[in-house]
């Protein structure tokens, strides 16, 4: 895809299933990829930079490390995130709420803000956040996940807000909202798989490389008129 060959791309959450797939896909397109996470990805592909997305100093150090190595930052993919165990809202511990909101929303904003400053100074950049179908469609059966749903709705609103503020300064911001993706995180909840597939019209989970391809398109020149777009790819789950 045009605009990715030779581009310097940062991927947060690179040790996760979606993050690893995005990193590999972008490398295949000829990009230079920096994998940011607290742990080294099992399938190492890009250049690893350790980061804690909840720690301002850690994110700032990662920005310095990447800019020192690459000179400029062309693209950012924010894939760091987590989901809580299914819990009725009235029983949820505030520690669980805080952790989910902190990682999924605060950490994403902090990452976008700090790397976005570099892009704004350059006058160019492309950002894709990983949201979720849960940001628009309350996926509450069979699991109850008020914290996750709330955090991803916040990601969608944040993405659109940043897109509006930064578009005129050369930085495009968009989101991909996947449904259920076949990752190790999904595998850990195999007791829910039958119900999830039954609710998905295409009858299967997304492959990580399909999400990666959607991210890559939004980062590419071909998506140059996309601004604040949320690309929903849920196999039709939200149609019901």
């Amino acid at each position: 895809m045009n605009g990715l060959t030779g581009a310097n791309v940062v991927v947060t959450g690179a040790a996760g299933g979606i993050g690893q797939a995005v990193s590999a896909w972008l490398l295949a397109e000829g990009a230079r990829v920096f994998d940011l996470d607290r742990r080294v990805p099992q399938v190492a592909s890009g250049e690893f930079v350790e980061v804690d997305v909840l720690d301002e100093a850690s994110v700032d150090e990662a920005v310095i490390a990447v800019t020192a190595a690459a000179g400029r930052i062309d693209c950012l993919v924010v894939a760091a995130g987590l989901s809580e165990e299914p819990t009725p809202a009235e029983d949820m511990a505030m520690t669980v709420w805080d952790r989910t909101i902190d990682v999924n929303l605060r950490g994403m904003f902090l990452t976008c803000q700090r790397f976005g400053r570099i892009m704004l100074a350059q006058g160019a950049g492309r950002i894709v956040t990983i949201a979720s179908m849960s940001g628009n469609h309350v996926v509450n059966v069979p699991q109850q996940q008020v914290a996750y749903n709330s955090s991803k709705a916040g990601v969608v609103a944040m993405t659109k807000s940043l897109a509006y503020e930064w578009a005129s300064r050369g930085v495009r911001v968009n989101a991909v909202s996947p449904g259920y993706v076949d990752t190790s995180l999904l595998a850990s909840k195999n007791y829910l798989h039958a119900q999830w597939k039954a609710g998905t019209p295409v009858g299967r989970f997304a492959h990580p490389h399909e999400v990666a391809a959607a991210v890559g398109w939004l980062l590419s020149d071909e998506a140059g008129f996309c601004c604040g777009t949320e690309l929903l790819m849920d196999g039709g789950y939200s149609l019901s």
Side-chain angles (χ1 to χ4, degrees):
M1 291 184 179
N2 293 329
L4 295 180
T5 301
N8 298 317
V9 185
V10 173
V11 179
T12 73
I18 291 176
Q20 287 188 49
V22 169
S23 177
W25 196 95
L26 291 168
L27 281 167
E29 286 291 313
R32 181 181 184 184
V33 181
F34 294 87
D35 289 336
L36 273 59
D37 209 308
R38 292 189 303 169
R39 65 189 192 280
V40 178
Q42 289 184 346
V43 181
S45 49
E47 300 170 48
F48 179 70
V49 178
E50 185 177 358
V51 70
D52 180 351
V53 298
L54 296 182
D55 187 313
E56 292 185 60
S58 179
V59 176
D60 287 338
E61 289 169 4
V63 172
I64 292 170
V66 174
T67 52
R72 63 178 285 118
I73 300 169
D74 299 299
C75 304
L76 169 67
V77 181
V78 194
L82 55 79
S83 64
E84 78 270 22
E85 285 299 310
T87 306
E90 66 272 20
D91 297 330
M92 177 167 289
M94 288 310 298
T95 53
V96 175
W97 171 274
D98 290 343
R99 177 67 176 170
T100 305
I101 298 297
D102 281 352
V103 173
N104 290 358
L105 187 54
R106 182 184 184 276
M108 185 167 289
F109 173 71
L110 176 60
T111 306
C112 288
Q113 182 192 60
R114 301 306 164 88
F115 282 98
R117 288 173 179 170
I118 302 300
M119 295 178 176
L120 292 169
Q122 296 169 169
R126 291 154 278 173
I127 298 173
V128 172
T129 61
I130 302 300
S132 169
M133 66 176 178
S134 300
N136 295 284
H137 180 76
V138 179
V139 182
N140 218 35
V141 178
Q143 73 275 30
Q144 296 165 302
Q145 49 182 25
V146 62
Y148 182 79
N149 293 347
S150 300
S151 70
K152 291 303 185 178
V155 169
V156 173
M158 182 202 73
T159 300
K160 294 181 178 183
S161 296
L162 294 178
Y164 187 86
E165 287 193 38
W166 292 352
S168 63
R169 300 165 68 186
V171 179
R172 290 195 296 109
V173 188
N174 296 287
V176 171
S177 288
Y180 295 113
V181 184
D182 192 7
T183 64
S184 59
L185 178 63
L186 195 78
S188 68
K189 299 179 179 179
N190 58 7
Y191 60 96
L192 296 172
H193 286 191
Q195 292 181 66
W196 285 343
K197 285 183 179 178
T200 305
V202 300
R204 65 173 178 86
F205 300 140
H207 301 300
H209 71 264
E210 293 175 308
V211 180
V215 170
W217 180 74
L218 283 173
L219 292 175
S220 73
D221 292 345
E222 283 84 352
F225 204 58
C226 290
C227 175
T229 296
E230 181 195 4
L231 180 53
L232 177 64
M233 46 181 312
D234 65 357
Y237 192 97
S238 59
L239 297 176
S240 60

